[in-house]
Amino acid sequence: MNDPTIILAGATGNLGGRIARALLERGASVRALVRHGTAPDRLERLEKRGATIAIVDFNSASQVAPACSGAACVVSALARLRDVIVETQTVLLEAAIKAGVPRFIPSDYSIDFTKFPPGENRNLDLRRDFHERLEKASISATTIFKGAFADMLTGQMPLILFKLKRVLYWGDADQRMDFTTIDDTAAFTASAALDPSTPRFLRIAGDQLSVRELRAVVSEVTGKEFHLLRAGGLGMLGTLIKVARTVAPGEKELYPAWQGMQYMRNMFDGRAKLEPLDNDRYPGIRWTTVRDVLSARQVSQCARPG
Ligand SMILES: NC(=O)c1ccc[n+]([C@@H]2O[C@H](COP(=O)([O-])OP(=O)(O)OC[C@H]3O[C@@H](n4cnc5c(N)ncnc54)[C@H](OP(=O)(O)O)[C@@H]3O)[C@@H](O)[C@H]2O)c1
């Protein structure tokens, strides 16, 4: 198909904006579905890149459906809690079906939550709930699993404690984990959106390494000797999650501290490890390693004045 149209929900967000760019680079027409009230500067940025904007009422599938017409795939990069991941995505799904769109990519972009039971990770349980609806829908769906965003290793994810020169971990120092950058996830998602024959699940990882391997890489890149710091076993982490959820519930927040801890527990326990990988499915994607991410941080630190 020449110049296929891809519908993108969440295009004003971090991952979504990069998916839009990757789709446009691949020659697709991008129609970004946005809600009423989205900040105008976000819309301008998208339009400048070459996307078209459709402002829709995400409460009504019959109102969203016309904006989906003629598309080859609907891609969601929406983020929030049940209201969006289950309810808004359901409206988007129904709209895609009404409009006769053949394919749907939900906003999963996570570790493989099909490998562990419900109740262990609040945000991933929401995706699981949405999947129950997705499996019953008459549309071809593809989920992209990619571990954790590698970009978070230099900030949000409390694994590498740069100031203390420690790599913090729980459980087994030799358990490998999956890391993929946001840009690589976007590039792969764009290619998958344009591929008419994707399977139900695709698994990617820019890098797979244990904390022991991570310690060696961060030591080499920074030129400073980092050490491992074992905080405890996974049972202890489970107890801490319960305590954190009691003392600082933050149930309405997307990423309260205990949510990040749930994610870490799932990564450290190995069940959500991705295999086999589909990294080679699309030629032309150069996978960014954790060493690349840490080297880029090192360069930007060295460039800082003072
Ligand atoms: N595995 C990982 O390590 C990891 C880490 C972070 C994120 N993720 C996943 O990546 C995906 C994208 O996350 P992100 O960080 O890019 O999100 P983000 O930057 O917060 O963007 C969220 C997008 O959702 C839209 N949105 C939010 N609430 C909405 C609503 N009620 N109706 C319509 N649109 C709404 C926002 O639109 P507005 O501009 O109108 O607000 C925005 O476009 C999510 O699935 C997230 O869980 C994975």
Side-chain angles (χ1 to χ4, degrees), residues 10-16 35 38 42 58 77-80 84 88 107-110 127 146-149 152 255 263:
T12 52
N14 187 8
L15 175 62
R35 56 177 160 174
T38 292
R42 291 181 171 196
F58 276 112
L78 295 169
R80 271 236 18 103
V84 170
T88 304
S107 192
D108 290 330
Y109 316 112
S110 60
R127 283 154 177 75
K146 35 63 67 183
F149 280 143
M152 298 196 307
Y255 301 120
Y263 214 96

Side-chain angles (χ1 to χ4, degrees), residues 32 69 79 100 108 111 124 144 147 160 180 190 202 239 241 254 266 279:
S69 70
D108 290 330
I111 54 176
L124 298 183
I144 295 169
I160 306 176
T180 310
L202 286 169
T239 306
I241 292 169
L254 185 51
N266 289 147
N279 282 22

Side-chain angles (χ1 to χ4, degrees), residues 153-155 157-170 173 210-219 222 224-231 268 294 297:
L153 280 170
T154 60
M157 195 185 286
L159 266 186
I160 306 176
L161 311 179
F162 287 95
K163 283 194 179 144
L164 299 176
K165 298 194 202 63
R166 295 285 184 276
V167 178
L168 183 76
Y169 74 101
W170 299 84
S210 66
V211 288
R212 198 181 301 285
E213 291 164 325
L214 185 58
R215 187 210 68 79
V217 173
V218 70
S219 298
T222 59
K224 293 173 185 157
E225 187 66 9
F226 277 64
H227 297 279
L228 289 178
L229 174 61
R230 188 175 191 269
F268 277 125
L294 296 179
R297 174 192 179 274

